[in-house]
Amino acid sequence: MNDRDQIDPRAMHVWDDHTDLFSHSVIGYAIERLQLRKNPKWGAAPAEELAAELEHVLTKNGVGGMEAMRVFREVLMPACRPLDDPMNLAFVPAAPSVASTMFDLVVSASSIFAGYWEAGAGAIAAENQALRWLADLAGYPKSAGGVFVSGGSAANLSAMVTARATHLAKYGRGKRLAFAATREVHASARAAARVMDVDVVDVDVDERGRMSANALRVALDQANDHQVFAVLATGGTTNAGVIDPLDEIAGVCDETDLWLHVDGAYGLAALTAPSARYRFAGIERTDSFGVDPHKWLFTPYDCAALLYRQPALAAAVHAQHGDYLDAIDRGEWNPSDYAYHLSRRARGLPLWFGLATYGTEAYTAAVEQALTTAHEFARAVDRHPDFELLLEPALSIVLFKRNGWTLEQYDAWSHRRAREGVALIVPTSWKGEPCYRICVVDPRTDIAELTPLLDDIAAFM
Ligand SMILES: *Cc1c(COP(=O)(O)O)cnc(C)c1O
């Protein structure tokens, strides 16, 4: 049916040929990993089972690289879900490019301390070039800057810490601190609030799940018990791909002197796509934003960009000081100063290398392709009598309902087809009702493979 059915990853393994040096080369395995499609049936195994397989591995004398590699290839890798399979449409999947992934090996091999300019200037200059590309897409001023962190969660936390410090420096502390967000905000925003011991002032959403300027004004007016220091808006919610109206929200933040951070971990990749760019109008007025290249900019884990309009405000709270640190002249741009971390790998370099290799237009084309696939799928849902499109997709997430189905039925089809390696599509809910959700980030996701799933779901008992 499709080429995955014909590839038996084991049969093609160069590892089965134990004759040459290549067969115990870690690099060889990495290349092979990139060339062969992963088996979509791979996934979690019971901890006990894996522990038993691992029992002989850590010993006083070691088992040798060949054996450790065998365990990884035969036992451990198959117990990891292939998030980069083009038919993995759950959560936010991954689609790292060959160039970015190969360069990640180079970053590891290079042992660069990319915290301070003094130690990692060459790597940092290139990371900054990639950050500048993102800043330009958002229309940020030349003075903007930021850092690559581990993920959208780290970006949200670091931005909120900067927002709070900026607010406190100006206004001092009166009441209990809070930032404003809707219930559609990513779970990491509330996690950041818990880490910071601040509250979240809830802003109501409109019928499409967006934060309106009016709802924000009402929430701020009613937040009498709190001193609100920031608004955390979303550029592409994880559940529905919905984009808050950033320009309106920026207007309220201007009036009230509140920091505006946009969590665009998934969605802001679409700044590269002319067909979607207008949806982010107002992004140029924000104080900070985050976008995860490991989600939809074809970069391997872990790579998230955090940009500030005024990076000095971040350095004022995040820079670490100590005798051992202050003794050196750190140099002109220190990524360590812009988030909660000190040592860091140059995790932005794989994005930079991918951009350098393929050119920025390749990124535009790849993001546009995922948008097109999602929109074509939405039209197929529209046409099908057994389904309802719950929301016109703004980006590449499509929410749709199988008429008359219960959550158990959604679960049953999902589990069956995931086990068979057909596709990974898992249910979510929209306005309290169960539904299906797909998220397309891979330009190789084939609409001709996707739309027949509707008939398959319709016929499923
Ligand atoms: C995925 C996601 C996050 C969390 O990002 P991590 O990289 O997993 O930490 C935060 N916000 C949004 C909107 C996301 O989609």
Side-chain angles (χ1 to χ4, degrees), residues 147 149-164 179-181 184-196 198 229-236 238 259-266 268 288-292 295 304-308 318 338-340:
V147 59
V149 294
S150 64
S153 306
N156 283 338
L157 174 62
S158 294
M160 284 300 103
V161 167
T162 301
R164 175 174 64 183
F179 61 81
E184 297 292 323
V185 81
H186 188 266
S188 59
R190 283 173 209 281
R194 289 192 296 275
V195 170
M196 295 168 70
V198 301
F229 62 86
V231 174
L232 203 164
T234 308
T238 317
W259 185 284
L260 175 54
H261 174 72
V262 178
D263 177 359
Y266 151 69
L268 277 175
S288 56
F289 70 87
V291 52
D292 287 10
K295 280 186 167 165
L306 170 59
L307 269 298
Y308 298 98
H318 286 297
Y338 302 104
Y340 177 70

Coordinates of all heavy atoms in Angstrom, one line a residue, residues 147 149-164 179-181 184-196 198 229-236 238 259-266 268 288-292 295 304-308 318 338-340:
V147 N 18.1 34.1 22.8 CA 18.9 32.9 23.1 C 18.1 31.6 22.7 O 16.9 31.7 22.7 CB 19.3 32.9 24.6 CG1 18.1 32.9 25.5 CG2 20.2 31.7 24.9
V149 N 17.0 28.1 23.9 CA 16.8 27.3 25.1 C 16.3 25.9 24.8 O 16.1 25.6 23.6 CB 15.9 28.1 26.1 CG1 16.6 29.4 26.6 CG2 14.5 28.4 25.5
S150 N 15.9 25.2 25.8 CA 15.6 23.7 25.5 C 14.2 23.6 24.9 O 14.0 22.6 24.2 CB 15.7 23.0 26.8 OG 14.7 23.4 27.7
G151 N 13.3 24.5 25.2 CA 11.9 24.3 24.7 C 11.1 25.5 25.0 O 11.5 26.5 25.6
G152 N 9.8 25.3 24.6 CA 8.9 26.4 24.8 C 8.6 26.6 26.3 O 8.3 27.8 26.7
S153 N 8.7 25.6 27.0 CA 8.5 25.7 28.5 C 9.6 26.6 29.1 O 9.3 27.5 29.9 CB 8.6 24.3 29.2 OG 7.7 23.4 28.5
A154 N 10.8 26.3 28.7 CA 11.9 27.2 29.3 C 11.8 28.6 28.8 O 12.1 29.5 29.5 CB 13.3 26.6 28.8
A155 N 11.3 28.8 27.5 CA 11.2 30.1 27.0 C 10.1 30.9 27.8 O 10.3 32.0 28.1 CB 10.8 30.0 25.5
N156 N 9.0 30.2 28.0 CA 7.9 30.9 28.8 C 8.4 31.3 30.1 O 8.1 32.4 30.6 CB 6.7 30.0 28.9 CG 5.9 29.9 27.6 OD1 5.9 30.8 26.8 ND2 5.1 28.8 27.5
L157 N 9.0 30.4 30.8 CA 9.5 30.7 32.2 C 10.5 31.8 32.2 O 10.4 32.8 33.0 CB 10.1 29.4 32.8 CG 10.8 29.7 34.2 CD1 9.8 30.1 35.2 CD2 11.5 28.4 34.7
S158 N 11.5 31.8 31.3 CA 12.5 32.8 31.3 C 11.9 34.2 30.9 O 12.3 35.2 31.5 CB 13.6 32.4 30.3 OG 14.3 31.3 30.8
A159 N 11.0 34.2 30.0 CA 10.3 35.5 29.6 C 9.5 36.0 30.8 O 9.5 37.2 31.0 CB 9.5 35.3 28.4
M160 N 8.8 35.1 31.4 CA 7.9 35.6 32.6 C 8.8 36.2 33.7 O 8.4 37.1 34.4 CB 7.0 34.5 33.0 CG 5.8 34.3 32.1 SD 4.7 35.8 31.9 CE 5.2 36.3 30.3
V161 N 9.9 35.5 34.0 CA 10.8 36.0 35.0 C 11.4 37.4 34.6 O 11.4 38.3 35.5 CB 12.0 35.0 35.2 CG1 13.1 35.6 36.0 CG2 11.5 33.7 35.9
T162 N 11.7 37.6 33.4 CA 12.1 38.9 32.9 C 11.0 39.9 33.0 O 11.3 41.0 33.5 CB 12.6 38.8 31.4 OG1 13.7 37.8 31.3 CG2 13.1 40.1 30.9
A163 N 9.8 39.5 32.7 CA 8.7 40.4 32.8 C 8.5 40.9 34.2 O 8.2 42.1 34.5 CB 7.4 39.8 32.2
R164 N 8.5 39.9 35.1 CA 8.3 40.2 36.5 C 9.4 41.2 37.1 O 9.1 42.2 37.7 CB 8.3 39.0 37.4 CG 8.1 39.2 38.9 CD 8.0 38.0 39.7 NE 9.1 37.1 39.6 CZ 9.2 35.9 40.2 NH1 8.2 35.5 40.9 NH2 10.3 35.2 40.1
F179 N 0.3 36.9 36.1 CA 0.2 37.3 34.7 C -1.1 36.8 34.2 O -1.8 35.9 34.8 CB 1.4 36.8 33.9 CG 1.6 35.3 33.8 CD1 0.9 34.5 32.9 CD2 2.6 34.7 34.6 CE1 1.1 33.1 32.9 CE2 2.8 33.3 34.6 CZ 2.0 32.5 33.7
A180 N -1.6 37.4 33.1 CA -2.9 37.1 32.5 C -2.7 36.2 31.3 O -1.8 36.3 30.5 CB -3.6 38.4 32.1
A181 N -3.6 35.2 31.3 CA -3.6 34.2 30.2 C -5.0 33.6 30.1 O -5.8 33.6 31.0 CB -2.5 33.1 30.4
E184 N -6.7 28.4 27.2 CA -6.1 27.7 26.0 C -4.6 27.8 26.0 O -3.9 27.2 25.2 CB -6.6 28.3 24.7 CG -8.1 28.2 24.5 CD -8.6 26.7 24.3 OE1 -7.9 26.0 23.7 OE2 -9.6 26.4 24.8
V185 N -4.0 28.5 27.0 CA -2.6 28.7 27.0 C -1.9 27.3 27.3 O -2.6 26.4 27.9 CB -2.2 29.7 28.1 CG1 -2.2 29.1 29.5 CG2 -0.9 30.4 27.8
H186 N -0.7 27.1 26.8 CA -0.1 25.8 27.0 C 0.2 25.5 28.5 O 0.4 26.5 29.3 CB 1.3 25.8 26.3 CG 2.0 24.5 26.3 ND1 2.9 24.1 27.2 CD2 1.8 23.4 25.5 CE1 3.3 22.8 26.9 NE2 2.7 22.4 25.9
A187 N 0.2 24.3 28.9 CA 0.3 23.8 30.3 C 1.6 24.4 30.9 O 1.7 24.7 32.1 CB 0.4 22.3 30.4
S188 N 2.6 24.7 30.1 CA 3.9 25.2 30.6 C 3.8 26.6 31.2 O 4.6 27.0 32.0 CB 5.0 25.1 29.5 OG 4.6 25.9 28.4
A189 N 2.8 27.3 30.7 CA 2.6 28.7 31.3 C 2.2 28.6 32.8 O 2.7 29.3 33.6 CB 1.6 29.4 30.5
R190 N 1.3 27.7 33.0 CA 0.8 27.5 34.4 C 2.0 26.9 35.3 O 2.1 27.1 36.5 CB -0.4 26.6 34.5 CG -1.6 27.5 34.2 CD -2.9 26.7 34.0 NE -3.8 27.4 33.1 CZ -4.5 28.4 33.3 NH1 -4.5 28.9 34.6 NH2 -5.2 29.0 32.4
A191 N 2.7 26.0 34.6 CA 3.9 25.4 35.3 C 4.9 26.5 35.7 O 5.4 26.5 36.8 CB 4.5 24.4 34.5
A192 N 5.1 27.5 34.8 CA 6.0 28.6 35.1 C 5.5 29.4 36.2 O 6.2 29.8 37.1 CB 6.1 29.5 33.8
A193 N 4.1 29.6 36.3 CA 3.5 30.4 37.4 C 3.8 29.7 38.7 O 4.1 30.3 39.7 CB 2.0 30.6 37.1
R194 N 3.7 28.3 38.7 CA 3.9 27.6 39.9 C 5.4 27.7 40.4 O 5.7 27.9 41.5 CB 3.6 26.1 39.8 CG 2.0 25.9 39.7 CD 1.7 24.4 39.8 NE 2.2 23.6 38.7 CZ 1.6 23.4 37.6 NH1 0.5 24.0 37.3 NH2 2.2 22.6 36.6
V195 N 6.3 27.6 39.4 CA 7.7 27.7 39.7 C 8.0 29.1 40.3 O 8.8 29.2 41.3 CB 8.6 27.4 38.5 CG1 10.0 27.8 38.7 CG2 8.5 26.0 38.0
M196 N 7.4 30.1 39.7 CA 7.6 31.5 40.1 C 6.8 31.9 41.4 O 7.0 33.0 41.9 CB 7.3 32.4 39.0 CG 8.1 32.3 37.8 SD 7.4 33.2 36.3 CE 7.7 34.9 36.9
V198 N 3.7 32.7 41.4 CA 2.7 33.8 41.0 C 1.4 33.2 40.5 O 1.4 31.9 40.3 CB 3.3 34.7 39.9 CG1 4.6 35.3 40.3 CG2 3.5 34.0 38.5
F229 N 1.6 41.7 36.0 CA 2.9 42.2 35.4 C 3.0 41.8 34.0 O 3.9 42.3 33.3 CB 4.1 41.7 36.2 CG 4.3 40.2 36.3 CD1 5.0 39.6 35.3 CD2 3.8 39.5 37.3 CE1 5.2 38.2 35.3 CE2 4.0 38.1 37.3 CZ 4.7 37.5 36.3
A230 N 2.2 40.9 33.4 CA 2.4 40.5 32.0 C 1.1 39.9 31.5 O 0.3 39.4 32.2 CB 3.6 39.5 31.9
V231 N 1.1 39.8 30.2 CA 0.1 39.1 29.5 C 0.8 38.0 28.6 O 1.8 38.3 28.0 CB -0.7 39.9 28.5 CG1 -1.7 39.1 27.7 CG2 -1.5 41.0 29.3
L232 N 0.4 36.8 28.8 CA 1.0 35.7 28.0 C 0.0 35.2 26.9 O -1.0 34.6 27.3 CB 1.4 34.5 28.9 CG 2.5 33.6 28.4 CD1 3.1 32.8 29.5 CD2 2.0 32.7 27.3
A233 N 0.2 35.7 25.7 CA -0.7 35.3 24.6 C -0.1 34.2 23.8 O 1.1 33.8 24.0 CB -0.9 36.5 23.7
T234 N -0.9 33.6 22.9 CA -0.4 32.4 22.2 C -0.5 32.7 20.7 O -1.5 33.1 20.2 CB -1.2 31.2 22.6 OG1 -1.2 31.0 24.0 CG2 -0.6 29.9 22.0
G235 N 0.6 32.3 20.0 CA 0.6 32.4 18.5 C 0.5 31.0 18.0 O 1.5 30.4 17.5
G236 N -0.7 30.4 18.1 CA -0.9 29.0 17.7 C -1.1 28.1 18.8 O -0.1 27.5 19.3
T238 N -1.7 24.9 21.2 CA -1.3 23.5 20.9 C -2.5 22.7 20.6 O -2.4 21.8 19.8 CB -0.6 23.0 22.2 OG1 0.3 24.0 22.7 CG2 0.2 21.7 21.9
W259 N 3.9 43.8 30.1 CA 4.8 43.0 29.3 C 3.9 42.1 28.4 O 3.0 41.4 29.0 CB 5.8 42.2 30.1 CG 6.8 41.5 29.3 CD1 6.6 40.3 28.7 CD2 8.2 41.8 29.2 NE1 7.8 39.9 28.1 CE2 8.8 40.8 28.4 CE3 9.0 42.8 29.7 CZ2 10.2 40.8 28.1 CZ3 10.3 42.8 29.4 CH2 10.9 41.8 28.6
L260 N 4.2 42.0 27.1 CA 3.4 41.0 26.3 C 4.4 40.0 25.7 O 5.3 40.3 25.0 CB 2.7 41.8 25.2 CG 2.0 40.9 24.2 CD1 1.0 39.9 24.8 CD2 1.3 41.7 23.1
H261 N 4.2 38.8 26.2 CA 5.0 37.6 25.7 C 4.1 36.8 24.8 O 2.9 36.5 25.2 CB 5.6 36.8 26.8 CG 6.3 35.5 26.3 ND1 7.5 35.6 25.7 CD2 5.9 34.2 26.4 CE1 7.9 34.3 25.4 NE2 6.9 33.5 25.8
V262 N 4.6 36.4 23.6 CA 3.8 35.5 22.8 C 4.4 34.1 22.8 O 5.6 34.0 22.4 CB 3.6 36.0 21.4 CG1 2.9 35.0 20.5 CG2 2.9 37.4 21.4
D263 N 3.7 33.1 23.2 CA 4.1 31.7 23.1 C 3.8 31.2 21.7 O 2.6 31.0 21.4 CB 3.5 30.9 24.2 CG 3.9 29.4 24.1 OD1 4.6 29.1 23.2 OD2 3.4 28.7 25.0
G264 N 4.8 31.1 20.9 CA 4.6 30.6 19.5 C 5.4 29.3 19.3 O 5.9 29.1 18.2
A265 N 5.5 28.5 20.3 CA 6.3 27.3 20.3 C 6.0 26.5 19.0 O 6.9 26.2 18.3 CB 6.1 26.5 21.5
Y266 N 4.8 26.3 18.8 CA 4.4 25.6 17.6 C 4.1 26.6 16.4 O 4.8 26.5 15.3 CB 3.1 24.8 17.8 CG 2.2 24.6 16.7 CD1 2.6 23.8 15.6 CD2 0.9 25.2 16.6 CE1 1.7 23.7 14.5 CE2 0.1 25.1 15.5 CZ 0.5 24.3 14.4 OH -0.3 24.2 13.4
L268 N 4.5 30.0 15.6 CA 5.2 31.1 15.0 C 6.2 30.7 13.9 O 6.7 31.6 13.2 CB 6.0 31.9 16.1 CG 5.1 33.0 16.8 CD1 5.9 33.6 18.0 CD2 4.5 34.0 15.9
S288 N 8.4 40.1 23.9 CA 9.2 38.8 23.8 C 8.3 37.8 23.1 O 7.1 37.9 23.1 CB 9.7 38.3 25.1 OG 8.6 38.1 26.0
F289 N 9.0 36.8 22.4 CA 8.2 35.7 21.9 C 9.1 34.5 21.9 O 10.4 34.6 21.9 CB 7.6 36.0 20.5 CG 8.6 36.1 19.4 CD1 9.1 35.0 18.7 CD2 9.1 37.4 19.0 CE1 10.0 35.1 17.6 CE2 10.1 37.5 18.0 CZ 10.5 36.4 17.3
G290 N 8.5 33.3 21.8 CA 9.2 32.1 21.7 C 8.7 31.3 20.5 O 7.5 31.3 20.2
V291 N 9.6 30.6 19.9 CA 9.2 29.7 18.8 C 10.2 28.5 18.9 O 11.4 28.7 19.0 CB 9.2 30.4 17.4 CG1 10.5 31.1 17.1 CG2 8.9 29.4 16.3
D292 N 9.7 27.3 18.7 CA 10.5 26.0 18.8 C 10.8 25.5 17.4 O 10.0 24.9 16.8 CB 9.7 24.9 19.5 CG 9.5 25.1 21.0 OD1 9.8 26.2 21.5 OD2 9.1 24.2 21.7
K295 N 9.9 22.0 16.6 CA 8.5 21.6 16.3 C 8.3 21.8 14.8 O 8.0 20.8 14.1 CB 7.5 22.5 17.1 CG 7.4 22.0 18.5 CD 6.3 22.7 19.3 CE 6.0 21.9 20.6 NZ 5.2 22.7 21.5
A304 N 14.7 25.7 21.0 CA 13.7 26.7 21.1 C 14.3 28.1 21.1 O 15.3 28.3 21.8 CB 12.8 26.5 22.3
A305 N 13.8 29.0 20.3 CA 14.3 30.3 20.3 C 13.5 31.2 21.2 O 12.2 31.2 21.1 CB 14.3 30.9 18.8
L306 N 14.2 32.1 21.9 CA 13.5 33.1 22.8 C 14.1 34.4 22.4 O 15.3 34.6 22.4 CB 13.8 32.8 24.3 CG 13.4 33.8 25.3 CD1 11.9 34.1 25.2 CD2 13.8 33.4 26.7
L307 N 13.2 35.3 22.0 CA 13.6 36.6 21.5 C 13.0 37.7 22.4 O 11.9 37.6 22.8 CB 13.1 36.9 20.1 CG 13.9 36.5 18.8 CD1 15.2 37.3 18.8 CD2 14.2 35.0 18.8
Y308 N 13.8 38.7 22.7 CA 13.4 39.9 23.5 C 13.6 41.1 22.6 O 14.6 41.3 21.9 CB 14.3 40.1 24.7 CG 14.3 39.0 25.7 CD1 15.3 38.0 25.7 CD2 13.3 38.9 26.7 CE1 15.3 37.0 26.7 CE2 13.3 37.9 27.6 CZ 14.3 36.9 27.6 OH 14.3 35.9 28.6
H318 N 18.7 37.6 34.6 CA 19.2 36.2 34.4 C 20.7 36.1 34.5 O 21.2 35.0 34.7 CB 18.7 35.7 33.0 CG 17.2 35.3 33.0 ND1 16.7 34.3 33.8 CD2 16.2 35.9 32.3 CE1 15.4 34.3 33.5 NE2 15.1 35.2 32.6
Y338 N 20.4 35.4 29.1 CA 19.1 35.7 28.6 C 18.0 34.7 29.0 O 16.9 34.7 28.5 CB 19.1 36.0 27.1 CG 20.1 37.1 26.8 CD1 21.3 36.9 26.3 CD2 19.7 38.4 27.2 CE1 22.2 37.9 26.1 CE2 20.6 39.5 27.0 CZ 21.9 39.2 26.4 OH 22.8 40.2 26.2
A339 N 18.4 33.7 29.8 CA 17.4 32.7 30.3 C 18.0 32.1 31.5 O 19.1 32.3 31.9 CB 17.2 31.6 29.2
Y340 N 17.2 31.1 32.1 CA 17.7 30.5 33.3 C 18.5 29.3 33.0 O 18.1 28.2 32.7 CB 16.5 30.0 34.2 CG 16.9 29.3 35.4 CD1 17.6 29.9 36.4 CD2 16.8 27.9 35.5 CE1 18.1 29.3 37.5 CE2 17.2 27.2 36.6 CZ 17.9 27.9 37.6 OH 18.4 27.2 38.7

